[in-house]
Amino acid sequence: MPIAYKHAPEPDFELAERLHKELTAAHWSDAPETRGMHAYGYTQAEQEAIDMVVREATKIGMDAFSDLAGNMYLIQRGKNHRAKTDVIVSHLDTVEKGGAHDG
């Protein structure tokens, strides 16, 4: 069942746009035969994408890490460490001609 929030957090569009620009600059190809985002699973490119997001998440006070399968965990903890925790889990690998990072 989804969690109901009394006050939904405001999206940080500036942060999202900045990360999108960084990821695109690092992993996008415009060449017709390879057009798209290239950060395939278990490669240095995927790790660079994970590192970018982890860097920004830790700047805003989130715990962030990835597991051996490439899933990334972003955890926002409140001041009360016994309180419920919000966790976002995703991955940043891409597929050939499949688009951008789907996380």
Side-chain angles (χ1 to χ4, degrees), residues 3 23-24:
I3 298 173
L23 291 167
T24 300

Side-chain angles (χ1 to χ4, degrees), residues 56-77:
E56 294 302 323
T58 56
K59 282 182 185 177
I60 60 172
M62 298 183 91
D63 294 333
F65 63 93
S66 64
D67 63 20
L68 294 175
N71 295 306
M72 186 175 52
Y73 299 80
L74 303 178
I75 304 169
Q76 181 65 55
R77 300 186 193 278

Side-chain angles (χ1 to χ4, degrees), residues 27-82:
H27 304 292
W28 183 265
S29 170
D30 273 327
E33 65 279 359
T34 60
R35 181 171 171 79
M37 194 70 77
H38 298 275
Y40 304 121
Y42 308 107
T43 65
Q44 182 61 33
E46 179 192 29
Q47 188 59 52
E48 289 169 2
I50 290 169
D51 292 345
M52 285 181 202
V53 174
V54 167
R55 180 191 69 226
E56 294 302 323
T58 56
K59 282 182 185 177
I60 60 172
M62 298 183 91
D63 294 333
F65 63 93
S66 64
D67 63 20
L68 294 175
N71 295 306
M72 186 175 52
Y73 299 80
L74 303 178
I75 304 169
Q76 181 65 55
R77 300 186 193 278
K79 291 182 180 179
N80 176 355
H81 294 290
R82 293 183 181 170

